[in-house]
């Protein structure tokens, strides 16, 4: 757990829900720790003067006039460890980031660095100071007086509507229902208790409440301090966001692109409850809270709610949502077959369903997977159901995996039933013998494929013998139907197969797996193998690269171990990391594994198909599923996750604890390749009611973002019996940056009404990586020797000479990218921002310093130039000089990158293409060079590594150039909007600054 500072904290019952409350706390004063430049800390009592013009502290060796800061001299208030003093190594572990803040003041931009006892105290001081800095020049009225706010007027109007008798009072019961209607999810008991408290405090007991008491109760119950703090940060006008403020919030903090004032007005009219606010284009705290809770502000990227991936790749290039025993509602052994299980699985986008056919008592085949003969379902009924529901959730192909355990006559009936019921949907065209890969999901839209055994071409009878599959025999043993003994000396069982059923199999012909070498030489693209969980797990551990390579051309299906008689699930990530397309899950069993499966398949419009990472699809690529570090040519990223608060958290379902209070904590888990798997937890929120504040920052390194999944789990620390409260699972690629609410779900994946987590998400590059997640974000700086990615020797002279030509371009590409990254991080740190900040935020921060000073030095951005210089007229303070120097370094390194990228990129691609020219001749060259066994394997691995590195590094350079151009565009845009730009024309489009690099072919 994180260390906290142990000195007097803000009382727990004190809720900061307005600027007035913040200023009230500052006027009373409180103890803070003052941090000196030598990293020593001293406790001091800080207080705001009664005239609200300066902050003082005592005791102090200075005279009282010097131990103070005038509000008008404050340039900026920073939250967190954002100054060199607070970032120094001596202090970094002594207190959490959220307990620190700094006041930048005076013409020399000095910093007063402070540490508070809790994040709440920091919020109150920062909110109050920012308010006073913004309005100090206008001598604001004392807090709590003057004209009623937008919010007060709106709540009063709601009260008036409920005051049917127009007596100025309404019954408490009606007031409770009114607040509950305005705030769904809030407990009735919480609202009733608040009215009792306020009635007692104001000595006005009774069954009715007046308007002022109703307004007070609403404000105390329905103001979320963390959202109010956010609103004040962006508000330029007291306690609401104007259109320009909202636009700034959406662009700068939420990472939205192309936001217009019209769009902001739409948001105001949709979410602002007060009529006056809607008319004036103001978003007050209630409207802002509603917006942040809405689907428009979801953590899940709306682009992924519909099919958004390329669906024209071969079928083997996709993960396919697959069910094992879809018809079961309970466990494998005691379960009962129920037809609704198929509807449920198909409704969730499942695209592969297993059907085990048995001889039925009435001469026609049945499907059942439990030991009770009474639980069987006629095959005819199942097929009818599949026909009805096959394409309700997804238009892409459905694969029926037939495991035949019935006699030949009943197989014929099954085949007739499939042809008659499914008709045109059934895909019966023979495979194209000249193709090398399966058709795409797009080509197979609306079709149903049958996966099963096929009679050999030499068999001309109406039925014949084929090798049997292992799957399904565990149940046969329990049913007492295992009359076919395994052949002597091991080997595969043989079963009879009818021609009619054999003819239904086209693109998914089941064949037994021998070894990878045999498959490479002899397996045809329409043939596929099924592996037990144990066998596939052994391959994943012992020869992951060969399994990845196998899955580039062929489909593989992984089924659960027969030992899982409780219908528990295997971890699908163990097999997805090796490229296995169909991992059969027990859909009826909730829990972590099913959460991962359900979350994973949401990312492409929940259509049941997800395109595998490029590194797993390219014909020549190096990928080790068990890598413990970053992958060659893949941009590793950092996920900065701040868990702020929880809302309306329910009690654990099976908890035996008395009372309604939970003591929750949040676990954030990353699931992906082994190098990415990690888990961090927040501290426990003690006695926090239903809306705990966590305010804790977590960080994860993601080496293969395309395969990573983030899972939030909320657990109860004070549990008896059951600790699980809620969960939500989301693919990394679907995360939206900024302030977001996480819609929590139950263990079974059902939405929990009004239960959410409020979080902040930022994604940046890890050092040495490329562009941050679709945003112009830069990486974290660390002092280390620069690492260069290099090629590996194959042992074949001609090939090694080609790859050797890329040594210098590889170094140049790394230098170009990392020089820009280092310059960016230095500039951001001097601006008091995190590495996750974007360029627009940096320019706006600098302009804020200049605008908050009467004697501001004259600093301008010359927007007439493509690479705008930041120019100062006259003397400037030391901090500002450092900022200008860092800006100049960033502009120069960006310019070098933009102007040199094309040439370096060309050399890398030239070396990659020259290497690929050898690929077709590789086997001939191997033989000529006499490479065998381990040496041959090493040569092939090094060749794939080199091709992957060259393509990957060229790709990263292309992204770095695009990011540098985007930064220039942001500088132009921000310079114009904040008033420090001169000679500016319309902001240049990023694409017009320089022609983009050609895309790299797969």
């Amino acid at each position: 757990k994180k260390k906290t500072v142990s000195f007097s904290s803000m009382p727990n019952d004190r809720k900061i829900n307005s600027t007035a409350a913040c200023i009230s706390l500052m006027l009373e004063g409180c103890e803070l720790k003052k941090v000196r430049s030598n990293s020593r800390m001293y406790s001091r009592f800080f207080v705001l003067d009664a005239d609200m013009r300066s902050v003082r502290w005592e005791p102090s060796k200075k005279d009282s006039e010097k131990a103070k800061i005038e509000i008008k001299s404050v340039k900026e208030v920073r939250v967190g460890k954002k100054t060199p003093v607070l970032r120094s190594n001596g202090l970094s572990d002594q207190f959490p980031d959220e307990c620190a803040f700094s006041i930048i003041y005076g013409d020399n931009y000095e910093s007063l660095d402070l540490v508070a006892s809790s994040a709440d105290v920091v919020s109150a001081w920062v909110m109050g100071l920012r308010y006073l800095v913004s309005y100090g020049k206008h001598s604001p009225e004392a807090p709590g007086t003057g004209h009623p706010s937008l919010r007060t007027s709106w709540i009063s109007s709601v009260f008036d509507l409920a005051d049917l008798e127009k007596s100025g009072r309404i019954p408490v019961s009606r007031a409770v229902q009114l607040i509950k209607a305005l705030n769904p999810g809030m407990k009735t008991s919480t609202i009733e208790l608040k009215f009792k408290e306020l009635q007692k405090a104001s000595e006005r007991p009774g069954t009715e409440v007046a308007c002022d008491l109703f307004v007070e109760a609403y404000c105390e119950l329905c103001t979320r301090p963390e959202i109010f703090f956010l609103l004040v940060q962006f508000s330029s006008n007291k306690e609401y966001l104007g259109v320009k403020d909202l636009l700034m919030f959406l662009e700068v903090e939420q990472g939205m692109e192309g936001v217009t004032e019209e769009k902001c007005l739409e948001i105001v009219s949709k979410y602002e409850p007060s009529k006056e606010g809607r008319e004036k284009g103001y978003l007050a705290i209630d409207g802002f809270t509603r917006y942040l809770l809405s689907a428009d502000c979801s953590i899940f990227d709306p682009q992924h709610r519909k099919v958004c991936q390329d669906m024209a790749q071969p079928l083997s290039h996709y993960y396919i949502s697959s069910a094992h025993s879809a018809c079961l509602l309970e466990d494998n052994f005691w379960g009962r077959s129920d037809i609704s299980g198929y509807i449920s699985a198909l409704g969730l986008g499942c695209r592969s369903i297993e059907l085990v056919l048995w001889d039925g008592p009435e001469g026609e085949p049945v499907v059942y997977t439990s030991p009770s003969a009474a639980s069987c379902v006629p095959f005819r009924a199942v097929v009818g159901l599949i026909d009805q529901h096959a394409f309700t959730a997804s238009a892409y192909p459905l694969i029926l995996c037939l495991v035949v355990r019935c006699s030949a006559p009943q197989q014929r009936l099954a085949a007739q039933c499939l042809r008659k019921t499914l008709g045109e949907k059934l895909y019966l065209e023979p495979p194209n013998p000249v193709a090398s890969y399966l058709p795409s999901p797009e080509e197979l839209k609306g079709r149903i494929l049958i996966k099963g055994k096929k009679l050999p071409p030499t068999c001309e009878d109406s039925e014949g013998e084929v090798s049997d599959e292992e799957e399904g025999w565990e149940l046969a043993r329990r049913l007492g139907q295992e009359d076919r003994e395994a052949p002597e000396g091991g080997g595969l069982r043989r079963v009879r197969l009818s021609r009619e059923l054999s003819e239904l199999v086209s693109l998914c012909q089941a064949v037994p797996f021998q070894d990878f070498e045999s498959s490479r030489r002899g397996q045809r693209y329409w043939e596929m193998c099924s592996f037990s969980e144990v066998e596939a797990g052994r391959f994943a551990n012992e020869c992951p690269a060969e399994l990845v390579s196998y899955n580039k051309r062929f489909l593989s299906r992984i089924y659960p171990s027969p030992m899982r008689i409780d219908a528990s699930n295997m971890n699908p990530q163990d097999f997805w990391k090796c490229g296995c397309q169909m991992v059969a899950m027990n859909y009826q069993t909730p829990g972590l594994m099913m959460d991962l499966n359900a979350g994973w398949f949401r990312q492409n419009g929940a259509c049941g198909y997800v395109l595998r990472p490029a590194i797993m699809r390219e014909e020549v690529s190096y990928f080790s599923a068990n890598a413990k570090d970053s992958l060659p040519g893949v941009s590793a990223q950092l996920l900065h996750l701040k868990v702020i608060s929880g809302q309306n958290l329910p009690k654990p379902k099976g908890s035996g604890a008395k009372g309604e209070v939970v003591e929750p904590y949040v676990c954030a888990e990353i699931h992906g390749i082994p190098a990415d798997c990690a888990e961090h937890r927040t501290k426990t929120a003690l006695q926090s009611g239903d809306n705990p504040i966590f305010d804790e920052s977590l960080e994860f390194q993601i080496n293969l973002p395309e395969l990573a999944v983030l899972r939030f789990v909320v657990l109860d620390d004070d549990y008896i019996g059951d600790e699980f409260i809620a969960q939500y699972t989301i693919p990394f690629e679907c995360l939206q940056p900024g302030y977001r609410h996480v819609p929590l779900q139950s263990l079974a994946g059902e939405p929990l009404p009004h239960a959410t987590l409020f979080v902040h998400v930022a994604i940046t590059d890890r050092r040495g990586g490329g562009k941050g997640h679709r945003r112009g974000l830069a990486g974290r700086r660390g002092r280390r020797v620069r690492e260069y990615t290099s090629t590996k020797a194959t042992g074949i002279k001609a090939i090694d000479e080609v790859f050797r030509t890329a040594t210098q371009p590889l170094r140049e590409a790394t230098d170009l990218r990392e020089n820009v990254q280092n310059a960016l991080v230095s500039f951001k740190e001097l601006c008091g921002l995190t590495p996750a900040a974007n360029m627009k935020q940096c320019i706006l921060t600098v302009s804020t310093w200049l605008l908050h000073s009467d004697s501001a030095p004259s600093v301008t951005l010359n927007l007439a130039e493509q690479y705008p210089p930041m120019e100062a007229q006259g003397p400037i303070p030391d901090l500002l000089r450092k900022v200008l120097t860092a800006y100049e370094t960033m502009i120069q390194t960006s310019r070098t990158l933009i102007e040199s990228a094309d040439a370096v990129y060309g050399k890398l691609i030239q070396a990659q293409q020259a290497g690929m020219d050898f690929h077709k001749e590789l086997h001939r060259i191997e033989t000529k060079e006499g490479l065998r066994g381990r040496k041959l394997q090493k040569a092939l691995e090094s060749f794939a590594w080199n091709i992957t590195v060259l393509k990957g590094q060229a790709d990263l350079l292309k992204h770095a150039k695009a990011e540098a151009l985007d930064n220039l565009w942001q500088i132009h845009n921000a310079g114009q909007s904040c008033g420090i730009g001169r000679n500016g024309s319309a902001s240049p489009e990023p694409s017009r600054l320089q022609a983009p690099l050609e895309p790299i072919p797969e």
Side-chain angles (χ1 to χ4, degrees), residues 42-77:
Y42 302 88
S43 288
R44 297 288 181 263
F45 189 81
F46 283 76
V47 65
L48 176 67
D49 274 355
D51 63 4
M52 293 190 284
R53 295 189 188 278
S54 50
V55 172
R56 297 178 183 274
W57 60 92
E58 55 188 34
S60 172
K61 290 176 184 173
K62 300 175 183 174
D63 64 59
S64 60
E65 282 309 300
K66 286 187 178 175
K68 71 170 188 178
I69 292 175
E70 291 190 347
I71 297 294
K72 68 179 182 185
S73 74
V74 175
K75 308 290 184 200
E76 187 193 357
V77 186

Side-chain angles (χ1 to χ4, degrees), residues 436-628:
S436 301
Y437 287 92
L438 288 162
S440 69
E442 192 60 45
E443 291 171 78
L444 296 169
K445 249 182 173 178
R447 307 302 292 272
I448 295 175
L449 312 181
I450 304 294
K451 176 218 169 236
K453 292 286 179 180
K454 205 164 173 63
L455 290 173
T458 51
C459 176
E460 295 177 1
D461 299 334
S462 61
E463 59 184 73
E465 268 198 354
V466 292
S467 62
D468 193 12
E469 294 189 70
E470 275 302 301
E471 206 171 349
W473 278 115
E474 189 64 25
L475 181 64
R477 289 186 196 104
R478 295 197 197 124
L479 287 162
Q481 293 190 11
E482 192 187 14
D483 54 354
R484 283 156 283 197
E485 290 299 316
E488 285 180 30
L492 295 164
R493 289 184 177 86
R494 309 290 292 174
V495 291
R496 303 292 293 174
L497 179 67
S498 77
R499 177 166 296 281
E500 286 93 328
L501 205 54
S502 170
E503 285 172 350
L504 298 184
V505 177
S506 167
L507 292 179
C508 297
Q509 183 183 337
V511 296
F513 179 77
Q514 292 172 317
D515 56 64
F516 291 116
E517 187 54 34
S518 303
S519 296
R520 189 165 74 90
R521 295 187 187 282
Q523 190 171 335
R524 293 168 296 188
Y525 73 83
W526 61 84
E527 295 175 334
M528 65 175 286
C529 300
S530 290
F531 302 89
S532 77
E533 168 190 355
V534 175
E535 186 183 20
R538 183 162 52 79
F539 291 145
N541 288 324
E542 293 174 10
C543 43
E546 287 173 275
L547 188 52
V548 170
S549 184
Y550 172 86
N551 286 320
K552 287 178 185 177
R553 278 193 64 206
F554 309 116
L555 286 176
S556 59
R557 181 173 182 274
I558 318 298
Y559 58 88
S561 160
M563 293 294 101
R564 294 185 182 273
I565 59 170
D566 59 350
S568 60
N569 276 308
M570 52 191 161
N571 185 345
Q573 283 277 8
D574 289 345
F575 307 104
W576 289 339
K577 71 180 184 185
C578 294
C580 300
Q581 298 89 348
M582 300 158 72
V583 182
M585 304 294 286
N586 289 306
Y587 269 58
Q588 72 277 15
T589 309
L592 165 63
M593 305 314 172
M594 206 50 220
D595 291 346
L596 293 176
N597 194 73
W600 180 250
F601 282 104
R602 279 194 201 111
Q603 67 182 289
N604 192 24
C607 75
Y609 285 83
V610 168
L611 189 63
R612 295 186 311 168
I615 201 166
M616 291 187 184
R617 305 193 309 264
E618 288 151 1
E619 193 178 351
V620 180
S621 65
Y622 177 86
F623 173 68
S624 171
N626 296 326
K628 296 287 187 282

Side-chain angles (χ1 to χ4, degrees), residues 615-915:
I615 201 166
M616 291 187 184
R617 305 193 309 264
E618 288 151 1
E619 193 178 351
V620 180
S621 65
Y622 177 86
F623 173 68
S624 171
N626 296 326
K628 296 287 187 282
D629 197 5
S630 56
L631 303 164
V634 176
S635 170
Q637 298 186 329
L638 284 173
L639 169 63
H640 310 263
L641 186 66
K642 186 170 189 182
V643 181
I644 302 167
S645 60
Q647 291 72 47
N648 306 311
L649 300 180
K651 262 184 79 175
K653 261 191 174 174
S655 173
K658 290 177 181 175
E660 289 299 308
V661 178
V662 291
E663 294 193 343
Y665 63 96
V666 180
C667 272
E669 307 164 350
I670 292 286
H671 298 265
I673 60 170
D676 291 345
C677 292
E679 177 184 319
H680 296 310
R681 59 159 285 179
T682 67
K683 57 183 176 290
T684 302
L686 302 168
Q687 299 295 321
S688 58
D690 306 327
N691 303 298
I693 298 283
F694 300 105
D695 229 341
E696 200 150 348
S697 300
L698 314 172
E699 193 176 278
F700 298 90
Q701 179 176 312
I702 315 290
N703 294 291
L704 186 57
E706 291 172 279
L707 207 59
V709 175
L710 170 63
R711 182 173 184 254
F712 295 94
V713 195
V714 187
L715 300 166
D716 185 7
D717 220 356
D718 186 36
Y719 71 97
I720 298 174
D722 183 15
E723 62 176 340
F724 178 87
I725 296 174
Q727 63 84 25
Y728 183 72
T729 309
I730 178 170
F732 182 82
E733 295 282 288
C734 299
L735 286 171
Q736 287 215 94
Y739 289 92
R740 306 286 173 184
H741 279 92
V742 177
L744 295 172
Q745 299 178 340
S746 69
L747 190 64
E750 292 149 358
L752 292 169
H754 315 298
T756 53
L757 285 179
F758 187 45
V759 300
H760 182 265
V761 176
I763 296 163
T764 65
D765 292 339
R766 197 197 67 148
R767 284 286 310 280
K771 187 177 167 76
H773 186 63
R774 301 195 307 279
R775 318 282 174 214
L777 304 175
R780 162 164 291 190
R781 187 168 53 168
R783 287 189 185 139
R784 60 182 179 80
V785 175
R786 184 166 294 177
E787 292 172 10
Y788 294 99
T789 308
S790 57
T791 55
K792 293 182 178 178
T794 62
I796 302 168
K797 191 178 177 184
I799 295 177
D800 286 341
E801 279 176 7
V802 165
F803 288 132
R804 210 169 288 126
T805 62
T807 306
Q808 191 55 32
L810 281 171
R811 289 182 73 88
E812 286 173 24
T814 303
D815 286 337
L816 286 170
R817 287 189 296 104
E818 295 221 3
N819 288 348
V820 171
Q821 283 199 350
N822 290 343
L824 273 168
V825 176
S826 295
F827 179 53
K828 288 174 185 181
E829 284 187 353
L830 283 164
C831 292
L833 298 168
T834 66
N838 59 33
M839 189 51 58
K840 195 164 188 179
Q841 282 171 290
C842 296
I843 302 301
L844 294 173
T845 300
V846 174
S847 72
T848 308
W849 298 347
L850 301 170
L851 298 173
H852 276 167
S853 175
D854 296 327
S855 57
S858 176
V859 175
T860 54
L861 270 172
N862 185 354
L863 300 180
E865 297 190 29
Q866 185 185 343
Y867 301 96
M870 201 180 272
E871 298 160 347
Q873 279 77 42
I876 57 170
D878 188 43
L879 176 68
L880 207 51
R881 185 172 300 287
K882 286 180 182 172
V883 169
L884 295 190
T885 306
Y887 174 84
E888 182 60 26
T889 306
M890 181 205 62
I891 285 290
Q892 289 309 322
T893 54
S894 298
R895 180 174 190 160
T896 307
L897 168 67
I898 291 166
E899 292 176 355
S900 311
D902 288 15
V904 177
Y905 175 90
K907 290 175 190 172
L908 291 173
I909 290 301
Q910 192 179 352
Q912 187 229 1
Q913 287 170 347

Side-chain angles (χ1 to χ4, degrees), residues 417-437:
C417 170
L418 286 165
R419 279 184 187 270
K420 185 180 173 185
T421 311
L422 302 179
E424 290 296 306
K425 292 177 190 158
L426 211 53
Y427 186 91
L428 300 172
E429 295 156 38
N432 179 356
V434 297
S436 301
Y437 287 92

Side-chain angles (χ1 to χ4, degrees), residues 343-357:
I343 302 173
S344 169
L346 291 168
L348 291 168
C350 176
R351 295 289 83 196
S352 166
I353 282 182
E354 175 200 39
L355 299 174
V356 186
L357 275 63

